[in-house]
Amino acid sequence: MSSNAIEIRGLRKTYRGSKGQPEKQALKGIDLDIPQGSVFGLLGPNGAGKSTLINILAGLVVKTAGQVTIWGFDQDVNPRQSRASIGVMPQELNLDAFFTPRAALDVQAGLYAVPKSQRRTDEILKLIGLEDKADAYARTLSGGMRRRLLLGKALVHAPHILVLDEPTAGVDIELRQMLWTNIRKLNDEGMTIILTTHYLEEAEEMCDEIAIINQGEVVARDSKTNLVNRIDAKTMVIHAEETVTTLPEAPGITVETRPDGAVALSYHAHQTSAEQVLAAVRDAGISIRDVKTEEADLEDVFLELTRS
Ligand SMILES: Nc1ncnc2c1ncn2[C@@H]1O[C@H](COP(=O)(O)OP(=O)(O)O)[C@@H](O)[C@H]1O
Ligand SMILES: [Mg+2]
């Protein structure tokens, strides 16, 4: 087997139009490798195609064309093995109101043919912090508890790969922390994690590899560090000793005054050196009291790549 947990080639999905709606090309030929052991982020705005991609991996949506290999198993050739390799926490709550968490986990284990002796129901209840609620009906659980139960269900068959679709959209800070702690722990134990998010901060904090999806296409795929480095826009922010009357001027440098009186000089590091920027400042007769630099973050990369 290759070192990729998932390999996707030429993946397309066209949803048929209904009730006079035109058909929708949700995925337009995706090629993507997701390395084993990574925390991989699928980042993109609403409607980009993230859930469609995840649901195809999960076997919940039927692809229109292309090839998906999960843990070395072609989804079409070895559907059972490929499904057994992956656990998915869906974006939508889809719990049976009349099941208790314990029952929901048992039923899920049964669906995946996990033998009774190998079930880890209590361990999972503990991991998701629902030991106290193990025997309460799902309809009596809070929204946060239900989401935790969804995570538990995704784990019953001890998959190699855990996929989380917008795990923290609309959840409170406490639940978010709990999810992150669990995800890091599972990843430390060797599980490959794939998560979708439209929150840049989340991708920046959690993921080591990122694919940016926009309108059904992968527009960037790199390590987080490389993605951020790709944009070499920098800004030097100068606080002067005295009120600035003459603004610096130099080719390749964009100058603006900030509301607090600071002078912000934006430039591209591959074109202009910090020394050239400082020289322009000195030439304008400004004596520097304080200087800071601001670098691009993932948001800049994202905006640049998803600008349509
Ligand atoms: N069942 C469906 N039928 C028709 N169109 C759909 C269906 N599911 C999603 N879409 C459309 O496909 C596109 C991608 O949706 P989705 O995969 O949910 O994006 P994301 O998860 O990135 O927000 C959107 O334009 C959405 O409206
Ligand atoms: Mg979605």
Side-chain angles (χ1 to χ4, degrees):
M1 186 183 151
S2 78
S3 59
N4 290 319
I6 291 187
E7 293 181 353
I8 297 169
R9 293 291 175 272
L11 184 62
R12 293 178 182 278
K13 175 65 189 179
T14 306
Y15 289 108
R16 230 176 285 150
S18 59
K19 298 188 196 113
Q21 294 291 313
E23 61 173 34
K24 172 76 198 176
Q25 272 190 287
L27 299 177
K28 301 173 183 166
I30 303 269
D31 295 319
L32 194 61
D33 289 340
I34 299 181
Q36 276 184 38
S38 58
V39 178
F40 193 96
L42 281 173
L43 178 66
N46 277 324
K50 304 181 297 295
S51 292
T52 300
L53 178 54
I54 295 301
N55 290 334
I56 291 172
L57 297 180
L60 299 170
V61 165
V62 179
K63 60 184 180 261
T64 306
Q67 193 186 25
V68 173
T69 306
I70 301 174
W71 213 252
F73 299 108
D74 186 310
Q75 198 179 40
D76 298 327
V77 181
N78 299 102
R80 208 177 54 78
Q81 290 93 328
S82 71
R83 278 191 71 147
S85 307
I86 195 169
V88 179
M89 176 179 168
Q91 184 170 8
E92 308 290 333
L93 287 169
N94 60 350
L95 291 168
D96 188 322
F98 295 100
F99 280 175
T100 66
R102 185 185 298 286
L105 294 176
D106 260 341
V107 167
Q108 185 80 0
L111 285 176
Y112 281 90
V114 180
K116 284 233 157 62
S117 61
Q118 285 175 28
R119 293 190 188 173
R120 304 170 302 140
T121 309
D122 288 309
E123 187 189 324
I124 292 173
L125 284 168
K126 190 167 172 225
L127 180 82
I128 59 178
L130 286 184
E131 300 146 289
D132 296 349
K133 295 281 180 185
D135 302 306
Y137 287 121
R139 67 182 138 80
T140 69
L141 303 178
S142 71
M145 291 175 184
R146 291 182 203 194
R147 289 191 76 88
R148 273 139 64 186
L149 182 52
L150 288 181
L151 172 63
K153 282 178 70 181
L155 295 171
V156 293
H157 57 296
H160 295 294
I161 306 164
L162 174 66
V163 182
L164 308 112
D165 195 1
E166 308 259 2
T168 60
V171 311
D172 61 34
I173 293 176
E174 206 179 336
L175 175 55
R176 199 179 139 135
Q177 286 305 333
M178 195 237 186
L179 283 167
W180 286 161
T181 309
N182 279 333
I183 288 166
R184 288 216 170 87
K185 179 164 177 273
L186 292 164
N187 183 247
D188 287 344
E189 290 165 5
M191 201 176 274
T192 304
I193 311 284
I194 303 170
L195 62 95
T196 76
T197 181
H198 61 273
Y199 296 122
L200 293 151
E201 277 179 19
E202 196 155 287
E204 200 155 8
E205 185 183 327
M206 287 301 295
C207 304
D208 27 65
E209 301 273 326
I210 293 174
I212 300 181
I213 306 196
N214 194 36
Q215 299 182 16
E217 290 174 304
V218 174
V219 293
R221 155 73 178 90
D222 214 330
S223 68
K224 177 179 64 189
T225 323
N226 284 348
L227 274 178
V228 172
N229 287 346
R230 198 186 277 199
I231 302 257
D232 71 340
K234 289 189 193 289
T235 301
M236 199 180 282
V237 183
I238 306 270
H239 286 269
E241 289 289 359
E242 284 127 33
T243 310
V244 176
T245 46
T246 315
L247 288 178
E249 262 187 22
I253 305 176
T254 313
V255 184
E256 63 171 30
T257 323
R258 297 259 169 105
D260 65 353
V263 179
L265 303 102
S266 302
Y267 61 103
H268 286 276
H270 73 269
Q271 226 172 21
T272 307
S273 69
E275 179 47 42
Q276 286 170 307
V277 179
L278 286 170
V281 172
R282 283 191 297 263
D283 289 350
I286 297 171
S287 51
I288 301 170
R289 175 162 56 81
D290 183 38
V291 56
K292 286 196 194 76
T293 56
E294 295 170 357
E295 311 228 341
D297 59 14
L298 199 52
E299 181 162 8
D300 301 301
V301 184
F302 186 76
L303 288 175
E304 180 146 326
L305 289 167
T306 57
R307 211 167 33 202
S308 44

